[in-house]
Amino acid sequence: RDQAHLDDRRDDVEQQVVEEGRDAARAAIDVAGHGAGLAIEGSIVLADEIAKNDTPQAAFKAYRDRRFDRCSYIVDKSLEICRGQLGKGPPVDNAKATAEMFEIVAEPI
C-alpha cells in the first residue's frame, strides 16, 4: 500500500473516533469472531492512552498508532474471506485465515 492511502485511512479513523465517538479502526466479519474482542481491546487501549497522555489529541494519536496496523490486518483478511466466499476473489481457507487472525490478535498490543 502506498503511504498516502494509509494516511487517509488513519485520518478517517481519527475523525470518526473523535467526532462520532466510535472505534472506526475495526470492522471484522462477524463469523471470524474478532469484532467483540477488538471492541473490548479498543476500549482498554483508549483508556490506557487517555491516562498516559496530556491531551485528547495525543491520546487519540497514540491509540491510533497502537491499533491501526492490527485492525487493518483484520479488516483486510476479513475482506479476503468475504471476497473468496462471494466468488469475487480467490478461494480462501477460512479455518487457516481465521487461525492466522487469532495469532495476530493474541499478540500483546
Side-chain angles (χ1 to χ4, degrees):
R1 295 189 183 167
D2 64 22
Q3 188 61 45
H5 174 72
L6 290 177
D7 289 341
D8 287 345
R9 285 180 71 182
R10 288 175 191 206
D11 290 344
D12 290 344
V13 167
E14 182 174 311
Q15 179 181 0
Q16 291 180 22
V17 169
V18 173
E19 294 178 3
E20 299 173 19
R22 63 186 172 99
D23 180 357
R26 57 171 184 80
I29 57 173
D30 56 351
V31 297
H34 298 292
L38 289 175
I40 293 166
E41 178 185 271
S43 65
I44 292 168
V45 171
L46 184 56
D48 184 48
E49 294 301 339
I50 289 170
K52 292 192 307 191
N53 286 278
D54 294 330
T55 66
Q57 292 79 9
F60 288 130
K61 182 182 181 322
Y63 167 85
R64 180 185 65 217
D65 290 345
R66 280 177 70 182
R67 304 249 313 135
F68 186 84
D69 290 339
R70 180 188 201 101
C71 292
S72 183
Y73 173 83
I74 298 300
V75 169
D76 290 345
K77 281 295 185 184
S78 294
L79 286 172
E80 282 181 30
I81 291 170
C82 285
R83 288 181 182 128
Q85 290 176 339
L86 295 172
K88 296 184 177 189
V92 174
D93 180 335
N94 292 352
K96 181 180 176 190
T98 300
E100 290 170 355
M101 287 191 279
F102 276 117
E103 287 179 20
I104 295 296
V105 296
E107 295 175 3
I109 188 162

